[in-house]
Amino acid sequence: MAKMKAVQVPKAGADFEIVEREIPQPAAGQVRIRVLACGICHSDEIVKEGLFPGITYPRVPGHEVAGVIDELGAGVTAWKKGERVGVGWHGGQDGTCLACRRGDFVNCANGKICAITFDGGYQEFMVSPVEGLARVPDSLDAAEAAPLMCAGVTTFNSLRHSGALPSDLVAVQGIGGLGHLGVQFAKRFGYRVAAIGRGSNNAALAKKLGADVYIDSAATDAAAELQKLGGARVILATAPSGKSMSALVGGLSVNGSLLVVGASQDPVEALPFQLIAGKKRIQGWAGGIPTDSEDTLRFAEMTGVRPMIEKYPLAKAAEGYARMMSGKAEFRVVLTM
């Protein structure tokens, strides 16, 4: 059997190891993908450290996959060899649970998760259920498309469903892996964009990405600054700090929403009166399903939204992961094959 290289986690908490595996064969309802690029996401820590119940090891991480269909499993008719595809966090749904019966596939009770339910994209070839596939436009570079399968769809999809309208003030907390995309999408949606960062270092970059205003939360009261601008209809909270998110609740406008997409280990807190007065809310948002990813990719293609990336070869996956975890990457780390 033909062989391929893969980067796997042998057990929870163990170091990455480069192994040679047989190229997998797709079963019925699956396709095999020749991986061209795979983003390294902070959520890959879930696989690396065993933070999610039910993960079987060894496991190949990676849920920001861009590649080309290489082989079709039995019964697959809606896809063809050579088609450019991506796979994100959402790897499929059961179609029978209550959420699925209501069309809410992202909240499927038995949903498949790429790199948790099945092996992900830190390898030269991978197998995916057809329910997890998104079509990738030909004009998008694979290394730039890959992060859009997670960070991209998370920011794009949350903002477009946030209730904000063109010309509304939308603030993006954090100019990092999620935030630098959030600022770009927010600007292309026609919002008045306030970028919130800690320190003055990101001010010029935030403006270049499309922010109309930059607020240094280390030097000013960011919530008060937002109120001076009329209050934010939406604050997209991307930096993983519940304390920093909590400090921004006072910056919401009437009917405003703190939209949480950055996963932190500390709580987001608000005084009841802060929410009652003006009917404000705190809402979480998970990325989306493959059709949402397709919308994200098409919109990025149309408007020029692109992730800022650092590339590493597959053989240096451990180095790329460490770079991502250090918080010093600008801003998404991508493995290329």
Side-chain angles (χ1 to χ4, degrees), residues 305-317:
V305 173
R306 296 291 188 274
M308 295 173 63
I309 61 175
E310 297 180 5
K311 297 180 184 180
Y312 286 76
L314 180 63
K316 293 188 176 181

Side-chain angles (χ1 to χ4, degrees), residues 4-336:
M4 67 170 187
K5 287 185 172 61
V7 175
Q8 67 181 23
V9 179
K11 62 181 180 179
D15 292 336
F16 293 109
E17 57 183 22
I18 301 172
V19 296
E20 193 174 73
R21 289 184 170 190
E22 291 184 358
I23 294 177
Q25 298 300 313
Q30 298 178 340
V31 302
R32 185 172 68 208
I33 299 167
R34 178 167 58 86
V35 179
L36 300 177
C38 183
I40 299 179
C41 179
H42 197 281
S43 296
D44 292 347
E45 183 184 20
I46 293 171
V47 179
K48 178 73 166 56
E49 305 301 331
L51 305 179
F52 202 91
I55 303 176
T56 58
Y57 292 90
R59 176 63 75 212
V60 176
H63 60 269
E64 294 185 344
V65 182
V68 176
I69 293 177
D70 175 70
E71 189 62 68
L72 306 176
V76 176
T77 58
W79 302 85
K80 60 180 183 290
K81 292 183 183 181
E83 199 164 4
R84 301 184 82 221
V85 294
V87 184
W89 177 267
H90 185 87
Q93 60 279 339
D94 64 18
T96 60
C97 71
L98 182 59
C100 285
R101 289 170 57 209
R102 289 175 170 164
D104 187 11
F105 300 129
V106 77
N107 286 315
C108 174
N110 302 293
K112 298 173 184 176
I113 303 173
C114 181
I116 291 180
T117 310
F118 55 90
D119 283 333
Y122 287 25
Q123 53 185 338
E124 293 177 312
F125 294 87
M126 67 169 282
V127 167
S128 172
V130 293
E131 294 88 354
L133 300 178
R135 289 183 167 87
V136 176
D138 289 338
S139 66
L140 285 183
D141 177 75
E144 292 181 328
L148 296 177
M149 296 302 302
C150 181
V153 68
T154 297
T155 50
F156 172 87
N157 208 28
S158 59
L159 284 171
R160 70 168 172 170
H161 290 293
S162 68
L165 299 175
S167 83
D168 282 347
L169 178 65
V170 169
V172 179
Q173 172 246 10
I175 311 300
L178 288 166
H180 88 286
L181 287 167
V183 170
Q184 292 181 72
F185 283 127
K187 185 62 176 179
R188 302 316 194 276
F189 285 167
Y191 304 144
R192 195 162 47 114
V193 182
I196 302 171
R198 189 164 183 81
S200 60
N201 293 343
N202 282 326
L205 174 61
K207 294 290 186 70
K208 182 179 179 180
L209 292 171
D212 299 290
V213 178
Y214 180 76
I215 298 173
D216 179 358
S217 62
T220 62
D221 181 338
E225 293 302 309
L226 289 174
Q227 286 299 336
K228 290 178 184 177
L229 298 170
R233 181 66 178 81
V234 170
I235 300 173
L236 183 67
T238 74
S241 168
K243 181 179 179 180
S244 297
M245 296 177 190
S246 302
L248 297 176
V249 173
L252 292 171
S253 69
V254 169
N255 295 312
S257 298
L258 179 69
L259 193 53
V260 179
V261 297
S264 69
Q265 297 301 311
D266 57 325
V268 178
E269 299 178 325
L271 295 173
F273 188 73
Q274 285 182 294
L275 303 179
I276 294 169
K279 296 194 297 183
K280 298 156 192 169
R281 65 176 179 169
I282 299 172
Q283 180 184 6
W285 191 275
I289 61 176
T291 49
D292 296 317
S293 295
E294 289 181 357
D295 293 343
T296 304
L297 293 164
R298 280 196 304 269
F299 188 85
E301 179 190 35
M302 290 167 52
T303 62
V305 173
R306 296 291 188 274
M308 295 173 63
I309 61 175
E310 297 180 5
K311 297 180 184 180
Y312 286 76
L314 180 63
K316 293 188 176 181
E319 184 179 333
Y321 178 85
R323 174 68 171 168
M324 178 277 300
M325 291 296 291
S326 74
K328 297 177 180 178
E330 293 184 351
F331 285 101
R332 306 296 297 187
V333 177
V334 180
L335 299 176
T336 56

